[in-house]
Amino acid sequence: MKKEELDSLITVGWVSYVLHLIVAVGAVMPGAQASAALLLVALVIDLVKKDDARGSWLASHFSYRIRTVLWAGFLYLITLPLWLLLIVPGWLAWGIISLWFLYRIVKGMVRMNKDLPMEI
């Protein structure tokens, strides 16, 4: 992979991480909810650029972010009945999921800053 291509993918990766981070911080901080549209934009970026990163250390970051969003979405979905039946358990479950999501995004940003692939 050429340096220009790698640099371009690094830039796209950082844009995606920042969008994920905005959503993750918004999910953890009450009253700071970011639009789900930002998360969808970041997910589409990752899905589109994942193949371009194939064979580089960045490929693991694209896969990592995609898996993180899919798992978080799944976990939010299966804990949705807690919100409908009992508010406090739903709030606790979503709080834990949001903290996990934030942790994963920050962990990925730290590894990307060091030019390291994600452990898969």
Side-chain angles (χ1 to χ4, degrees):
M1 178 174 290
K2 295 179 183 176
K3 181 174 176 8
E4 299 84 32
E5 293 171 338
L6 187 62
D7 289 344
S8 174
L9 285 172
I10 289 172
T11 301
V12 169
W14 277 114
V15 168
S16 180
Y17 268 125
V18 168
L19 292 175
H20 282 88
L21 183 64
I22 291 168
V23 173
V25 169
V28 172
M29 294 179 60
Q33 294 297 319
S35 171
L38 290 178
L39 189 60
L40 290 175
V41 167
L43 182 60
V44 168
I45 288 170
D46 290 338
L47 290 168
V48 168
K49 290 297 190 175
K50 181 182 175 190
D51 286 339
D52 293 346
R54 191 176 313 242
S56 72
W57 62 270
L58 288 166
S60 64
H61 285 273
F62 286 96
S63 297
Y64 179 79
R65 287 189 303 267
I66 292 167
R67 280 194 321 275
T68 299
V69 170
L70 294 178
W71 270 109
F74 174 73
L75 293 171
Y76 283 129
L77 188 62
I78 64 170
T79 58
L80 183 61
L82 291 175
W83 276 103
L84 301 175
L85 300 174
L86 306 161
I87 299 294
V88 173
W91 179 80
L92 287 173
W94 282 28
I96 291 167
I97 296 165
S98 297
L99 286 171
W100 171 83
F101 184 75
L102 178 61
Y103 165 77
R104 297 235 338 156
I105 296 307
V106 170
K107 178 182 176 182
M109 293 176 89
V110 167
R111 290 192 63 83
M112 188 160 162
N113 192 49
K114 295 177 180 179
D115 294 341
L116 295 172
M118 292 308 302
E119 302 136 345
I120 296 179

